[in-house]
Amino acid sequence: MEVLREKVEEEEEAEREEGTERLSRPEKMPKLLRKEATTLTPELLRDMEQKLSEIKVPIPGDPPTDDTIDIANLPPSYKVNTPREEQLLQVADNFSRQYSHLCPDRVPLLLYPLNECEVPKFVSTTIRPTLMPFPELYNWDTCAQFVSDFLTMMPLPDPLKPPTHLYSSTTVLKYQKGNCFDFSTLLCSMLIGSGYDAYCINGYASQDLCLMDLTREVCPLTVKAKEVVHAEEKAPPKKYAIKPPRDLTSRFEQDQEMKRQEEIKTAEEKQLREEEERLMEAEKAAPDPLHGLRVHCWVLVLSGKREVPESFFIDAFTARSYSTQDSHFLGIESLWNHKNYWVNMQDCWNGCKDLVFDLGDPVRWEYLLLGTDKPHLFTTDDEDDGINDDDDDVENLGKEDEEKSFDMPHSWVEQIEISPDAFETRCPNGKKIILYKRAKLEKWAPYLNNNGLVCRLTTYEDLECTNILEIKEWYQNREDMLELRHMNKTTGLNTDYFKPGHPQALRVHSYKSMLPENDRVMEFYQSARVDGLIKREETPKTMTEHFQGRPDFLSYRHINFGPRVKKLPLNSAESNPRPIVKITERFCRNPAKPADEDVAERVFLIADERIQLCYHCRNDHITASKREFLRRTEVDSKGNKIIMTPDMCVSFEVEPMEHTKKLLYQYEAMIKLKSEEKLSRHQAWESELEVLEILKLREEEEEGHVLTISIYDTKRNEKSKEYREAMERVMHEEHLRQMETQLDYLAPFLAQLPPGEKLTRWQAVRLKDECLSDFKQRLIDKANLIQARFEKETQELQKKQQWYQENQVTLTPEDEDLYLSYCSQAMFRIRILEQRLNRHKELAPLKYLALEEKLYKDPRLVELLKVFA
Amino acid sequence: MNRLCQSMEPRVMDDDLLKLAVAEQGPREEAGQLAKQEGILFKDVLSLQLDFQNILRIDNLWQFENLRKLQLDNNIIERIEGLENLTHLVWLDLSFNNIETIEGLDTLVNLEDLSLFNNRISKIDSLDALVKLQVLSLGNNQIFNMMNVIYLRRFKDLRTLSLSGNPISEAEDYKMFVCAYLPDLVYLDFRRIDDLTRELAEIKHQYTIDELKHREELTQAQWEEAQAQKEELEAHKAAFIEHLNGSFLFDSMYAEDVEGNKLSFLPGVGELLEAYPFKDKFVIICLNIFEYGLKQQEKRKMEIDTFNECIQEAIQENQEQGKRKIAEFEEKHLLNLSAIRDESEMPVIEMKIVECGEDITQLFNVLMTLEMQLVEQLEETINIFERNIVDLVGLFIENVQSSWCTMAQCRDLESHHHEKLLEISINTLEKIVKGELDEDLPDDVRALFVDKDTIVNAVGASHDIHLLKIDNREDELVTRVNSWCTQLVDKIHTDEIMRNRKRVKEINQYVDHMQNELDNLEFGDILD
């Protein structure tokens, strides 16, 4: 104690010597705060507090007060302080007193709040660096997300003061709720555990942050990734590039036009901006009367470790990262990690924007302990460094000698543990709702909802969240591979996205209604389909299919349907396909065929009985061949059927060829086309059927919503669980058997001999004989026992039989039944005993011989019994 | 069976016979009626069957250009002839004939299936051209030498072979031998070769086959080497510097130079050559020229490539524009036509038809403008290119002729050598005259040293020959470069003109077709 006191005095002196400069700084330090304070008289403040306390009535859930926390089972380190901790508390106390002396207008520091057992604990020792056993928790973003999901937020009891209690992370995890200090301490422990240079910060932040109010933030899920517009690299004009044709339009007119366009554009932009501003104004929250006074705790990650390029803040409530210049953070009182505690000596008039996080700089950051591994000052030039070093040496001479030896004691908190169950369930009760600006995000643990729903994002039109714009639902582990369902409430369009593996290779299905013959688009995983279908679009009158990678080079088929001709009775089983009016098919270029014979587009006008062909264009041509067939068969004046006439085929050929002019050629082509038309119609019909089938399947899947369970999921997979249990049982039995075989039959006899001495031959022989005779005795005993039981059973049975014969007449049927069942049981027992006895008689000599042999081979006796062997 | 036919009069393959056969084997039913109506051209026929016709001589088949399958079995044909024009033939059946030698098949490069069953062939050869041969039937012939099988090794695609009924098939070893020497064969004498037989055969004939393979490989390697050398020479020729990468020119200088060779026996010449390594220097200069030539060739090639690329791009873009215009036009035209069809009032129809006609004219104008624009652009570019390539060639010639690493240097070197040689010669002459020469000279050399004139003339002649050689090489290079350049430029110009003609023709044809269609419509409407 004496030493400490002295040291503190020295420290004070040193500080005083350090100059007036530093003394003057703290005064103007929390300028922002002071400004607020000067405008608000104490009375006003009290008023406001009162009002606020009135408003703040509906606190979600009670904070875990002492009587709700079961402190009985907590380890002793929670309940008492070790001497080192005591010492640390004294140092802290001293520091605090000096601090209040030097900076009288600053708020007292949060140094040693009480823990759940009402024991003061230094904040740094509450941080327990832990590396979690989950690979998902290795990076800061996932860690923060986990903390924010896992705990329920509770506001500080007094928004203007740091809390009086700071619970251990184990307790916080157990009850799954906490305030910002609990959140930050847990997150900081995890981050330091996984190697980050992380600190807890006690400071001031905006109302939104302190109350975890995200309603003014845009939901990160709704923000669309900005498309990176990469400017197309213009190849430098080649040497022989042709000159463009001369531009004969008027420059002046162009200029004028451009000016006009620009004017319109600026006007539009201005209007837009104004609109935006108006909106912003409307969205902006009412000014917070306690702005800059609200206490908050968050996490700072400094650059350097784990390849972090730049320092940043993490808000533990929302798991969002902020730059250190963010306007949400209004000031810092102090910060700490598991090793040390620093007080901010910089001015926070401009929020955190001007703060320098160079913790080695004693002017900016006042440290509590002179740790051996404190961060070093970033020196700018050598001269300064030298001077500073000298100064430090002079000033800290006394301090260093003693304090260097005093490190932060080990954390009093137990190991932080998260069970895999809890990790998977994440949010308390597996459910969490977050409100964003015009959006609501709901999260569930996997397998909690029996339809596999894990996340739902509802987007609203207005700030009050009444008019739903669209809903996005994410699913997991569904057997039909549904991944995301997007419902647009304004257009009524639903879009389902599937992962690969749907039985019909479905990728995307967007529809307005599940009824067939409506607007819908189905996209498929092309590689999973034999027919290479990528996309099928439907409207009430048409169906369009897109293909890729087909051997017949078909890339597109468009079918126009006409109205149904006949009306079928409603519940008729036979299908009533709509008549097809037109089929348009397009083909990719088949490199094996010459362009003039490779059809590019084929149109079957079924109603007109007409077939139109359009061929591919040759490489060096701009026109393509065309051919049109009239399929109509007519009868000439004599009543003969006209097979083919030249006007039934109209064609334009890029390069007329002789053989194509021939009727025979045209006739053959037409016959072929006719059969192909039939085929196309059949395929169209099949496509329609497939749509019906998919719709039916989708409906069934929707109703069934079966969830898949991974074979590695030991907890949920019933089959594997059974199997595993069976395996365990077998293992256990095996183990027991092994134990038995390892039973040492010599042990009881060896125990009779004096321990530690070597056996003599005589002893060995005796040992063997004793063992054998004992075993023989046991065998005989066993045989006798079985014999005795057998006799007893037989006797009893005989007695019973006697009794039965005597009383046979007077017996009721029930008694008789009882007697009979007894008899059969007794007979069974007797038979078993008989069998056992016989078996024993057979095996006993063998067992005896086996033991004898074993004894001869026993390593302890083998040497001594060799002679006899 | 052909014995039976022999009793009949041999028939001639005339037009009637062919026509009849074509008509008989042509399409049936409705298509047949059409065919009858129109007649079938011989060149459209794909397959022809002429069996059991008692034909003695193959004739009159030259019109069947596109024939794929020809059956001439069961005739009395004695020679294979008249098949030269049937280059598309895939399937040829000449079984049951009286053919004695295989011949006349050298143009049938597409032939895959050849049947010569039951003939009188004694030797397999003259099949070299049939690289795609897959099925060969040579059963019931007179082949007696087993070595004929080795000839078949060159057909990489041969899978089915029949040789039964030949004297060789009597041999005990026949099957094994064939299997061993033709390992890719799948069917022999209409039976599948099982793996066991194949293995056994392989083991049995392993040594001879390995030797054969080795020899084949050697020939292959030699051939490849020769090919590679040829290619290299071609490349050098393209750069106009062939044979300059060595002492070839130098050697050729002395090849025809009798006096020079004689003079090299003179006592001082050896020393002279040692002191001034004439040959080495000469070769170095040649090598310099060679390398320079290669570099220039590379440059020219790059120039031509960029030019071609740019021209292609321009043409492509123009084509795209043209296609777009046509597509736009067609869309509009189609609408117009259907509107005309729906319209019932005559004046309106006429008005619309006129409108359509105007549209077509406008399309023609647009397309032609595009084409003219392209022609102008291309002309300009071609002229620039022409200038550049001529400059390049000029530079090359100039450098080869007069700069530092050139023919001029060769000449200097030669003159220098000549002077030295003359000096030595005169010295020697003096020595001989004085009788101081102690070395023995060959008689014919000594004959030169009769008097001063003779020796000077001899040395001069040698010099002249050398200079002539150098001049010739230079002239050759220059003329060839120049002619290449003019050819290139001419080709580019003609190509461009051809392209232009073709496009103009295409446009005209299209527009004419459109106009015709419109006229027909008009006509039809008026009829209605």
Side-chain angles (χ1 to χ4, degrees), chain A residues 509-528:
Chain A
H509 179 202
S510 59
Y511 55 94
K512 281 184 179 165
S513 100
M514 288 298 273
L515 289 174
E517 294 168 28
N518 265 316
D519 285 337
R520 78 179 66 254
V521 179
M522 287 179 183
E523 284 175 46
F524 298 89
Y525 286 98
Q526 174 238 330
S527 54

Side-chain angles (χ1 to χ4, degrees), chain A residues 302 429 546 796 845:
Chain A
L302 281 188
N429 300 325
H546 298 264
E796 264 180 38

Side-chain angles (χ1 to χ4, degrees), chain A residues 747-784:
Chain A
F749 306 102
L750 278 171
Q752 293 169 8
L753 299 172
E757 276 174 41
K758 239 188 138 198
L759 288 175
T760 61
R761 174 173 297 171
W762 180 78
Q763 272 173 330
V765 173
R766 236 193 77 193
L767 204 66
K768 187 200 81 171
D769 288 345
E770 267 178 18
C771 187
L772 279 176
S773 63
D774 194 61
F775 185 62
K776 196 194 259 169
Q777 193 56 49
R778 266 188 63 193
L779 287 176
I780 293 164
D781 284 354
K782 198 174 172 186
N784 287 339

